[in-house]
Amino acid sequence: MKLLRARDVAALDAAAEAVGLPPDTLMDRAGRAVAATALRLQPQARRIVILTGPGNNGGDGYVCAAELVRRGLAVSLLEMTDAPKTEPAARARTALLAMAPDLPRAAALEASDAAADLLDDADLVVDALLGAGLARPVGPELAALFDRVRGAGVPVLAVDVPSGLDADRAAVEGDVLTATWTLQLSAAKPASLLAPARDRYGAWWVDDLGLDPALVARHAVADAIGRTSAGRVLPRRRGDAHKYRAGAVLVVGGSPRYAGAAELAARAALRAGAGYVLLAAAERHPATWPELVHLPWPVAGPGAAADAALGAARADVAVVGPGLEADERLLAELLADWGPRPLLLDGGALRPALVRVAAGDGPRVLT
């Protein structure tokens, strides 16, 4: 799944126009997609309020309103302005009012009886106020509007981005109109995957607006890896695979006070597909999975060093440090012989001296 930042969306729109998809076409597709989503989510809805802003997100709302009117629903508008700032949005508003000149309307930023009455009668609110372009907290007038919508207790379908959120960031600054559902347009936005902002999206989907996937990919900032996409890139095991061919992982950590940290890392390795996981820890956690091979470490006594060396020799990759309170000298001995194999240092292993010892030709990750 591709991720687009706000500036990537603008660049993608320009590229789409260059290949014959002008803003009005994309706006028409977006508005119709929002209308279809609204009807799918709330099939019993009869009265829908559309909140429209001054930009193209508001234009999507006007197209959505027109489509819902054509389908026989009672639609009302709460508008931030009656003069949209973009030409496509202005044209969408003109077309809507030419088709439905008596459409109930009120000023969204005024605490009027008319606006309150529209919200009180609504079965669904469509948030087409701000979209992906917001880069600062909303002002008091919009925050008051959000309060009125929340007070109405009506489910909210956000268009692209819940109003009040910066589409690029995890942070939630200022007031946000939290959505019940969000239909993201063109591609997903970073905030929809990053906590705590993602909690404001509700359940969400992406409509690609019929854009060429290659065009979207050229403007995407990143890929989000979900179950389906992860399955395409994970290696397939041979029919004669055994545990060592599947990969052996050594997890070194888990002091008596923090036994759970190494346990969770080892479980994660098994869930990710490792065939053999050796958990070298001071104590066995009470909830240790039987699939994990436990090696008490560090310990004193005959054979302890040999056991640790054997475990290290078998491993293809090591995770060292989660919940670890071990002597730095012991860790340095282990890391000095690790060689070019992949190594992840975490928690108690994140010490300058150990990082220098671990430096080598192989992949190194510090968490």
Side-chain angles (χ1 to χ4, degrees):
M1 179 171 58
K2 301 300 181 183
L3 295 182
L4 293 177
R5 297 166 297 186
R7 67 188 185 193
D8 303 322
V9 173
L12 175 61
D13 288 348
E17 185 172 11
V19 296
L21 289 173
D24 297 76
T25 299
L26 293 181
M27 186 173 290
D28 185 69
R29 292 180 181 181
R32 289 174 183 270
V34 174
T37 301
L39 294 175
R40 175 173 61 84
L41 294 172
Q42 293 286 86
Q44 305 305 316
R46 292 295 174 265
R47 304 187 67 82
I48 297 180
V49 172
I50 315 289
L51 310 179
T52 60
N56 282 345
N57 197 251
D60 298 338
Y62 289 124
V63 174
C64 171
E67 180 66 15
L68 292 173
V69 169
R70 279 192 286 268
R71 298 193 185 201
L73 279 81
V75 176
S76 305
L77 294 178
L78 283 179
E79 300 178 282
M80 284 180 64
T81 176
D82 58 4
K85 293 181 179 179
T86 71
E87 293 183 3
R91 287 191 289 269
R93 183 179 188 274
T94 299
L96 168 65
L97 297 183
M99 181 183 73
D102 298 326
L103 204 69
R105 289 179 284 147
L109 301 184
E110 295 179 6
S112 64
D113 292 339
D117 289 344
L118 293 180
L119 286 171
D120 287 343
D121 290 340
D123 300 313
L124 175 69
V125 168
V126 174
D127 168 15
L129 288 168
L130 300 178
L134 183 73
R136 63 183 184 278
V138 301
E141 291 179 319
L142 265 175
L145 171 62
F146 295 172
D147 279 340
R148 293 198 295 275
V149 174
R150 285 190 284 262
V154 182
V156 175
L157 170 60
V159 179
D160 205 23
V161 180
S163 289
L165 279 182
D166 181 334
D168 296 346
R169 302 177 60 226
V172 178
E173 298 176 347
D175 206 350
V176 174
L177 184 56
T178 299
T180 314
W181 310 283
T182 301
L183 182 66
Q184 300 194 69
L185 303 174
S186 303
K189 311 307 180 296
S192 66
L193 297 172
L194 302 173
R198 66 184 182 191
D199 296 333
R200 305 306 181 96
Y201 277 72
W204 58 263
W205 301 267
V206 174
D207 191 293
D208 63 12
L209 305 183
L211 291 167
D212 181 352
L215 188 66
V216 176
R218 283 200 294 273
H219 293 84
V221 64
D223 287 290
I225 304 298
R227 289 190 181 201
T228 301
S229 51
R232 289 195 293 267
V233 299
L234 289 174
R236 294 188 178 276
R237 291 179 177 166
R238 291 168 39 178
D240 61 350
H242 53 70
K243 60 186 178 184
Y244 293 117
R245 281 187 181 160
V249 178
L250 171 66
V251 178
V252 181
S255 67
R257 291 199 301 168
Y258 305 114
E263 171 77 20
L264 290 174
R267 291 187 187 191
L270 280 177
R271 287 178 181 248
Y276 177 90
V277 178
L278 177 67
L279 174 56
E283 295 182 2
R284 195 178 190 97
H285 190 275
T288 295
W289 288 5
E291 296 91 339
L292 298 176
V293 180
H294 179 248
L295 170 67
W297 188 89
V299 295
D307 287 345
L310 177 61
R314 286 177 172 173
D316 302 302
V317 60
V319 177
V320 181
L324 188 63
E325 294 178 311
D327 181 88
E328 190 169 294
R329 178 184 57 81
L330 287 172
L331 279 177
E333 290 177 2
L334 174 70
L335 297 178
D337 295 330
W338 190 250
R341 287 173 290 175
L343 177 64
L344 184 150
L345 300 183
D346 176 53
L350 292 175
R351 309 178 198 178
L354 293 175
V355 172
R356 286 194 293 271
V357 170
D361 296 331
R364 299 294 185 261
V365 177
L366 309 183
T367 62

